Amino acid sequence: MARKTPTPLTITYWAIIIAGLAALQFPGILFYHDVAEPRIFGMPFIYGFNALIWLILCVVLFIAYRTRWGRPRPEELADEFDEEAAS
């Protein structure tokens, strides 16, 4: 049986993803429309900021995918059932 409650790792992944998407939706472009000096990666600040946040989100999503979003692997679940059946 799959775990019904989210693991702390799953909650952490979702919190990072939601915070990153919220940062991307910040209307910062309205504050930097006349300012071209602050630069990130040679781009105006807001574009460099968006590129940096997308890079971080892609890395977090890849790590979350590789760790199965904190869910136990099928072989780990089989061990739990074997222990419950033995007792």
Side-chain angles (χ1 to χ4, degrees):
M1 189 110 210
R3 174 183 276 206
K4 301 275 187 205
T5 58
T7 64
L9 188 59
T10 304
I11 293 170
T12 303
Y13 287 144
W14 278 109
I16 292 171
I17 292 167
I18 290 171
L21 290 173
L24 286 172
Q25 296 302 314
F26 177 71
I29 193 87
L30 301 174
F31 300 119
Y32 291 100
H33 62 87
D34 289 334
V35 181
E37 261 325 290
R39 297 192 173 269
I40 299 175
F41 304 128
M43 296 183 282
F45 173 78
I46 197 68
Y47 301 121
F49 175 75
N50 279 339
L52 184 64
I53 294 295
W54 272 115
L55 176 70
I56 292 168
L57 283 175
C58 288
V59 169
V60 168
L61 285 169
F62 179 74
I63 293 170
Y65 169 74
R66 295 297 292 171
T67 59
R68 297 177 40 86
W69 293 84
R71 292 186 182 146
R73 291 187 167 81
E75 59 269 8
E76 294 170 356
L77 287 175
D79 292 341
E80 285 181 16
F81 290 128
D82 292 340
E83 291 172 4
E84 289 177 6
S87 49

